[in-house]
């Protein structure tokens, strides 16, 4: 990864205080994306932002924290990374600040305690539920569901997982693919937002693989597709 800080969009990572979100924050900040961590608590957001900033090499972009609604308003792109059970309530806090923007949903609908069994909400996927709640003024893209949080903050670790990017707007998908590639992963256009149900379901399957193989970060890789290092 490089550490250039050319003009990049500011990312608001809602739930960036958590396991998955904080790992993504680190991966994006180190390659120059200014990041605002969103939280229910401004204090918690600021504290996690300071903690993550301290781990980054000099030359990385800034990480700051704010309350969810303010973070979404200040971000150019919003990344939603909260547990499924918290999705509806969190979107209610950020819906205004997301209007006109791309929102990348990372959430997976899991039904504890059966977290290794695929479960789909009535809309088909958490991403489609998010789109319905955020409204037509927001372009929702689903991505990063299959990347385990386990090693994300360890920048010496190469994440061996492709990123399936589903959405109904090509330009919005390009934003998420760029974020995947910038974070050292491989983003793939996986079709319309309705296909988010497959990527979300895969996570339950991967959790089961992790449990049965006593590992922490199984992932997926699409074969038969050209990659930069092979071209
Ligand atoms: N962990 C993984 O390996 C992984 C991998 C792929 C996808 N995902 C998906 O990514 C999403 C986040 O996962 P995570 O493991 O990072 O979750 P997490 O650490 O449990 O939670 C992330 C953040 O969400 C907020 N949150 C938690 N519970 C909440 C509640 N009841 N109401 C409102 N906000 C709440 C918290 O932020 P504040 O307290 O700061 O508000 C928390 O720091 C989930 O949908 C998960 O399925 C996770």
């Amino acid at each position: 990864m490089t550490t250039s800080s050319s003009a990049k969009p500011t990312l608001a990572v809602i739930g960036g205080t958590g396991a998955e979100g904080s790992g993504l924050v680190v991966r994006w900040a180190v390659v120059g994306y200014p990041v605002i961590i969103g939280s229910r608590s401004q204090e918690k957001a600021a504290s996690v932002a300071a903690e993550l900033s301290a781990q980054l090499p000099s030359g990385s972009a800034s990480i700051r924290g704010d309350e969810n609604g303010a973070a979404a308003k200040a971000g150019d792109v919003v990344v939603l990374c909260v547990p499924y059970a918290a999705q509806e309530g969190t979107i209610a806090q950020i819906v205004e600040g997301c209007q006109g923007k791309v929102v990348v949903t990372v959430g997976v609908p899991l039904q504890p305690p059966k977290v290794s069994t695929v479960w789909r909400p009535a809309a088909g996927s958490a991403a489609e539920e998010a789109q319905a709640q955020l409204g037509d003024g927001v372009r929702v893209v689903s991505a990063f569901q299959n990347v385990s949080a386990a090693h994300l903050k360890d920048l010496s670790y190469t994440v061996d997982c492709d990123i399936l990017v589903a959405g109904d707007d090509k330009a919005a998908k390009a934003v998420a693919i760029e974020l995947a590639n910038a974070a050292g992963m491989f983003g793939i256009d996986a079709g319309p937002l309705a296909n988010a149900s497959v990527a979300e379901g895969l996570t339950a399957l991967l959790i089961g693989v992790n449990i049965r193989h006593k590992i922490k970060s199984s992932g997926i890789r699409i074969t038969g597709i050209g990659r930069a290092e092979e071209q």
Side-chain angles (χ1 to χ4, degrees):
M1 271 187 215
T2 60
T3 53
S4 78
S5 58
S6 54
K8 288 186 162 71
T10 296
L11 310 176
V13 182
I14 309 301
T17 52
E20 182 79 0
S22 62
L24 292 171
V25 166
V26 165
R27 297 256 165 188
W28 288 324
V30 80
V31 293
Y33 286 87
V35 183
I36 308 167
I37 290 177
S39 168
R40 288 166 292 179
S41 151
Q42 202 279 336
E43 269 181 13
K44 181 178 173 184
S47 149
V48 173
E51 190 188 307
L52 297 180
S53 297
Q55 294 170 20
L56 289 172
S58 64
S60 302
S62 70
I63 304 175
R64 68 176 179 87
D66 213 330
E67 170 275 321
N68 284 332
K73 254 183 214 155
D76 298 311
V77 175
V78 179
V79 179
L80 179 61
C81 197
V82 298
Y84 176 70
Q87 177 172 298
E88 189 178 352
T90 305
I91 290 179
Q93 293 165 20
I94 64 171
V95 61
E96 194 189 327
C98 290
Q99 295 308 307
K101 298 178 185 173
V102 172
V103 172
V104 181
T105 63
V106 182
V108 176
L110 298 172
Q111 285 286 287
K114 293 188 168 183
V115 293
S116 60
T117 300
V118 176
W119 178 83
R120 292 194 170 89
S125 64
E128 288 164 285
E129 285 192 342
Q131 180 69 77
Q133 193 180 350
L134 286 162
D136 292 343
V138 176
R139 291 173 292 160
V140 171
V141 176
S142 114
F144 301 103
Q145 280 79 14
N146 307 136
V147 177
S148 165
H151 304 290
L152 268 184
K153 273 191 273 195
D154 175 2
L155 294 171
S156 66
Y157 182 86
T158 302
V159 178
D160 188 20
C161 181
D162 287 346
I163 306 302
L164 298 176
V165 178
D168 294 333
D169 183 283
K170 208 150 182 75
K173 281 191 282 193
V175 170
I177 289 170
E178 171 75 30
L179 288 177
N181 297 346
M185 305 162 200
F186 186 61
I188 298 172
D189 186 337
L193 196 64
N195 289 355
S197 70
V198 174
E200 292 178 4
L202 268 176
T203 303
L205 186 152
L206 292 170
I207 291 170
V209 170
N210 286 345
I211 293 168
R212 286 186 289 280
H213 289 260
K214 298 183 172 42
I215 55 175
K216 289 186 174 167
S217 55
S218 60
I220 57 137
R221 224 163 140 83
I222 302 297
T223 60
I225 187 169
R227 289 164 196 266
E229 71 266 22
E230 294 159 4
Q231 287 165 355

